[in-house]
Every structure is written in structure tokens, then in C-alpha cells.
């Protein structure tokens, strides 16, 4: 019998607490309170970054540059496109790399010390030029940058975004390519509050994506 009484008393206490028995505020007071987001408000605020400087700040290879040096130049450009941010970029390909169609190799680039390997395949010379060579280059993983994500969000939501909240995206970090990363952002529009329901950020070879 005692166990039943304790059970009833506990249930009654829980019921009263759920009804707001200790608050002392009326329903009208609660109605006037500002509603909170149903989800999680992220800690990192991203404001609009400055425009990305023109990539022409890096000079093209000299006229007598080797095929490897020309390829390294193109991979530095691709790495910058992926990061969408300023930073130290290097590239390294085999010095004796031939421009023969069908040749495959692995090159390496770094962005702020983060290394990415690229699978490179040399293609044919285009019909309109005997001195040009086509190639394909696929990175084995991606790079996300805080400024790159901010540029994406302020570009996509231009005119309507007030700011963005994210979960502490580093200045630069390696991330899976073309799939959800562990980083998420919540775009806060002008005149609105954070939704509390952020969307994932993804790394691609042409820059970050938000969906």
C-alpha cells in the first residue's frame, strides 16, 4: 500500500510542476514572452567577408615553363576555387611528367598547410591548338574555409541575409568531397530570429555548398 501512495504523490508533484506551479506567473505573462527557437542556436556568427581578390594576382608561368609547372599553376587555381578564400597555396607534380594523352599521375596541393591529392589524367590536344593540352583533375578530398562558406551564404541570400550562425567552422579544414560535412549553418534573414534548424555545408571541387 505504501508504494502505491508514493507513486501517486510523485505523479501529482510532476503534474503540478508541468502546470507551472512554482512560477507564480499568469498565462498572460507567458503569452507575452518572446518565443525561443525550437532547435539549436549555433555559436559562431559569420558576417559578410570582403570580396575575394582577383586571381590574376598570381602571374602565369613563363613562356619556357615545363608542362609540370603549367599543370601546377592550374591546380593552384583549382585549389583556390575549392577554398574560396585567401591563403597560402602550393602545388607539386612529377617534374618529368609527359604531356602525352592518356598519361595519369598524382599531384599534391596544399592550402594553409592542408594537403589534398589530385588524380590527374592528360587528355588530347584540342583541334584549335597544337600547343595546348587538355587534362582532368579530381581531388580525393575537399577543403572548407570559414570565409568561403560566408561568401557562399552572402552570395546565395544576397539582399535578404542579416548574418549566419555556424558550428565553429575553422579558418580552413579538410572535409569529405561532395557529401555532408560535420559543419552546419543557419541563415538568419533580416528582421528574423535564428530558426534553430541549420543545414549542412559540403565541400566540392568548385567551392562550398549549402544544402
Amino acid at each position: 500500500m505504501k508504494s502505491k501512495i508514493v507513486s501517486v504523490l510523485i505523479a501529482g508533484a510532476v503534474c503540478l510542476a508541468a502546470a507551472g506551479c512554482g512560477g507564480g506567473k499568469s498565462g498572460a505573462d507567458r503569452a507575452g514572452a518572446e518565443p525561443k527557437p525550437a532547435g539549436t542556436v549555433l555559436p559562431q556568427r559569420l558576417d559578410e567577408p570582403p570580396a575575394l581578390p582577383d586571381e590574376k594576382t598570381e602571374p602565369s608561368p613563363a613562356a619556357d615553363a615545363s608542362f609540370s609547372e603549367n599543370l601546377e599553376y592550374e591546380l593552384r587555381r583549382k585549389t583556390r576555387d575549392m577554398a574560396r578564400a585567401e591563403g597560402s597555396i602550393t602545388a607539386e607534380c612529377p617534374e618529368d611528367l609527359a604531356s602525352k594523352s592518356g598519361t595519369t599521375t598524382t599531384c599534391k596541393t596544399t592550402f594553409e598547410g592542408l594537403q589534398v591529392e589530385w588524380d590527374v589524367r592528360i587528355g588530347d590536344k584540342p583541334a584549335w591548338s597544337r600547343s595546348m593540352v587538355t587534362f582532368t583533375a579530381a581531388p580525393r578530398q575537399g577543403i572548407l574555409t570559414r570565409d568561403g562558406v560566408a561568401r557562399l551564404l552572402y552570395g546565395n541570400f544576397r539582399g535578404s541575409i542579416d548574418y549566419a550562425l555556424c558550428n565553429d567552422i575553422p579558418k580552413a579544414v579538410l572535409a569529405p568531397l561532395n557529401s555532408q560535412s560535420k559543419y552546419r549553418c543557419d541563415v538568419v534573414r533580416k528582421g528574423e530570429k535564428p530558426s534553430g534548424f541549420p543545414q549542412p555545408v559540403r565541400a566540392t571541387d568548385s567551392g562550398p555548398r549549402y544544402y
Side-chain angles (χ1 to χ4, degrees):
M1 180 64 68
K2 289 183 179 179
S3 62
K4 290 184 179 179
I5 293 173
V6 171
S7 177
V8 171
L9 290 175
I10 292 174
V14 171
C15 181
L16 289 173
C21 57
K25 293 186 179 181
S26 68
D29 291 336
R30 292 196 303 274
E34 186 173 312
K36 295 182 179 180
T40 301
V41 177
L42 300 178
Q44 180 188 47
R45 174 170 171 145
L46 296 186
D47 292 308
E48 185 172 10
L52 192 61
D54 193 333
E55 67 177 355
K56 292 181 180 179
T57 53
E58 180 183 358
S60 300
D64 60 349
S66 67
F67 177 71
S68 178
E69 290 173 324
N70 279 280
L71 181 56
E72 289 168 350
Y73 170 77
E74 294 298 330
L75 291 180
R76 287 195 297 272
R77 293 179 60 188
K78 286 181 174 292
T79 300
R80 186 176 187 269
D81 288 343
M82 181 162 53
R84 295 295 297 157
E86 291 186 88
S88 173
I89 302 175
T90 67
E92 181 181 357
C93 294
E95 292 183 2
D96 58 350
L97 182 62
S99 59
K100 182 180 178 181
S101 177
T103 299
T104 60
T105 191
T106 300
C107 295
K108 299 176 182 178
T109 65
T110 66
F111 181 88
E112 290 294 297
L114 300 174
Q115 181 175 284
V116 174
E117 292 186 333
W118 297 72
D119 295 319
V120 178
R121 182 179 180 85
I122 309 304
D124 297 324
K125 293 182 178 180
W128 49 267
S129 174
R130 302 304 301 170
S131 61
M132 303 292 289
V133 175
T134 62
F135 74 98
T136 59
R140 295 181 182 177
Q141 60 186 140
I143 293 175
L144 282 175
T145 65
R146 183 173 57 241
D147 283 352
V149 171
R151 288 189 175 94
L152 169 75
L153 298 179
Y154 280 87
N156 284 0
F157 297 91
R158 183 171 51 251
S160 65
I161 182 174
D162 189 6
Y163 59 93
L165 294 176
C166 304
N167 59 336
D168 294 326
I169 301 174
K171 179 180 179 181
V173 64
L174 295 174
L177 196 67
N178 300 320
S179 61
Q180 288 188 17
S181 71
K182 65 180 182 180
Y183 300 103
R184 309 175 78 83
C185 293
D186 186 1
V187 172
V188 183
R189 298 176 185 271
K190 294 178 180 178
E192 297 183 5
K193 299 292 184 181
S195 71
F197 296 98
Q199 297 296 316
V201 177
R202 305 165 189 257
T204 77
D205 60 1
S206 56
R209 295 294 182 268
Y210 173 71
Y211 63 93

